[in-house]
Amino acid sequence: MKITFYGHNTLLIEINDKKIIVDPFITGNPLAKDKINISNITVDYILLTHAHQDHILDAEAIAKNSNATIVSNFEIATHYQNKGFNVHPMNHGGTWNFDFGKVKYVNAIHTSSFPDGSYGGQPGGFIIESEHKSIYIAGDTALTMDMKLIPMYTKLDLAVLPIGDNFTMGIDDAIIASDFVACNKILGVHYDTFGYIEIDHKEAKKKFLDKGKDLILLEIEDSIEL
Ligand code: NI
Ligand code: MN
């Protein structure tokens, strides 16, 4: 499993010959828009954690480009189905075996309106299991006791956690979250994109390291392999 960071909460996940993009927000991200040309992105699936603009902005353009299937909660999937896109609707607690692996849509504590204010269902995160690897993508969320359920489902190899604070967990809560999900390898996301969520990278890494945890902060377009 190869995971490439495209800024904010946007990840390109490559599993065998399948490509999955999570929460595509590139053309609106001042840190990513000059580095990545979304017309060069072709994927099989687009996973959306919730309907906020900074998670869905480029979903339609990439879906059109690729004829990709949009996977999200029922309300978000229906929104895109009504616009003619291929979708796979899920809801909290549900699991589906896709051709790239097993996906479970899990709880997040956040909100989920579309940019025009219409209802985007309840926000969530994803657990993806494939190739004997298991990752948790929290999406935008507060620290929640529901995270303690995740080790009952799977032994994670990586937890993708928001760390930017203000709109989501910050660093201290993300450290607790990594205990709850029982994973000491954390990919930090949802930081630095806007003024509200700028973080001190060195301090963040040190705080995790002091608890025996590895916080990975990737440069945009850099990858990790699991
Ligand atoms: Ni959000
Ligand atoms: Mn967000």
Side-chain angles (χ1 to χ4, degrees), residues 54-190:
D54 61 315
H55 297 255
I56 64 159
L57 181 67
D58 297 315
E60 289 193 19
I62 293 170
K64 265 183 205 148
N65 235 357
S66 316
N67 203 29
T69 298
I70 296 173
V71 180
S72 193
N73 70 28
F74 181 79
E75 288 77 11
I76 293 172
T78 304
H79 168 92
Y80 288 111
Q81 187 172 41
N82 290 340
K83 291 183 160 198
F85 292 99
N86 304 325
V87 303
H88 180 108
M90 297 186 76
N91 223 326
H92 301 86
T95 302
W96 185 259
N97 286 305
F98 290 88
D99 57 4
F100 62 86
K102 192 164 105 175
V103 175
K104 188 176 183 76
Y105 191 61
V106 294
N107 287 346
I109 294 189
H110 193 67
T111 55
S112 179
S113 48
F114 282 97
D116 68 358
S118 61
Y119 182 55
Q122 296 293 311
F126 295 101
I127 299 169
I128 303 173
E129 289 176 81
S130 188
E131 297 180 311
H132 310 291
K133 299 290 177 193
S134 187
I135 66 171
Y136 166 53
I137 299 166
D140 284 6
T141 185
L143 178 64
T144 157
M145 295 296 273
D146 287 340
M147 290 169 176
K148 290 190 174 185
L149 294 171
I150 290 170
M152 297 183 196
Y153 304 139
T154 185
K155 189 181 178 326
L156 293 176
D157 296 286
L158 181 75
V160 181
L161 302 178
I163 56 170
D165 221 327
N166 191 73
F167 298 113
T168 66
M169 295 188 287
I171 290 150
D172 295 336
D173 280 354
I175 290 169
I176 300 169
S178 68
D179 281 335
F180 284 6
V181 303
C183 183
N184 288 331
K185 188 172 181 179
I186 298 97
L187 175 63
V189 293
H190 215 273

Side-chain angles (χ1 to χ4, degrees), residues 7-10 22-26 28 49-58 110 115 140 167-168 190 193-194 197:
H8 206 51
N9 203 51
T10 309
V22 180
D23 286 359
F25 174 70
I26 293 162
T49 60
H50 64 295
H52 284 160
Q53 168 120 313
D54 61 315
H55 297 255
I56 64 159
L57 181 67
D58 297 315
H110 193 67
D140 284 6
F167 298 113
T168 66
H190 215 273
T193 318
F194 331 106
I197 61 174

